[in-house]
Amino acid sequence: VYPNPAKNYLTITNPSISTFSIELYNNLGQLIQKDSSTNTTFTCALETLNSGVYHLKISDDQHQEMHKIVIER
C-alpha cells in the first residue's frame, strides 16, 4: 500500500490471483469507500476525502489486513 501519507490516490498491490476487497473507514469507523478487484494492482482515488487518518481493510477469501492511511492536502 503506497504512498502513505497519500494525497490524491493510493496504490494497493495484491500478489495473489484471487479477488480482493478494499474498504476505507474514517476515524469514527464509518465506511467511506468500498471496492473490489481481481487485478494485481489497484488504484484507489482519494480526491474527495479530507485530510486525516483513515483505516484501510484489504481482504480476500483467506486473509485480512488493516492499514492506517494518512491523507494530506
Side-chain angles (χ1 to χ4, degrees):
V1 177
Y2 62 91
N4 193 11
K7 291 187 184 287
N8 296 318
Y9 69 91
L10 193 63
T11 301
I12 301 159
T13 57
N14 178 22
S16 72
I17 57 172
S18 64
T19 300
F20 65 103
S21 65
I22 301 110
E23 297 177 358
L24 187 65
Y25 295 88
N26 65 14
N27 233 7
L28 300 174
Q30 299 167 318
L31 181 63
I32 301 297
Q33 193 170 337
K34 184 175 183 175
D35 216 325
S36 64
S37 179
T38 56
N39 298 326
T40 56
T41 303
F42 178 80
T43 302
C44 183
L46 306 174
E47 293 97 352
T48 61
L49 300 177
N50 294 326
S51 296
V53 177
Y54 294 82
H55 302 279
L56 179 69
K57 178 180 171 182
I58 304 169
S59 56
D60 63 17
D61 54 349
Q62 296 180 9
H63 301 91
Q64 179 175 310
E65 298 177 14
M66 292 293 289
H67 298 268
K68 182 163 68 169
I69 305 298
V70 177
I71 297 177
E72 294 180 343
R73 297 279 173 233

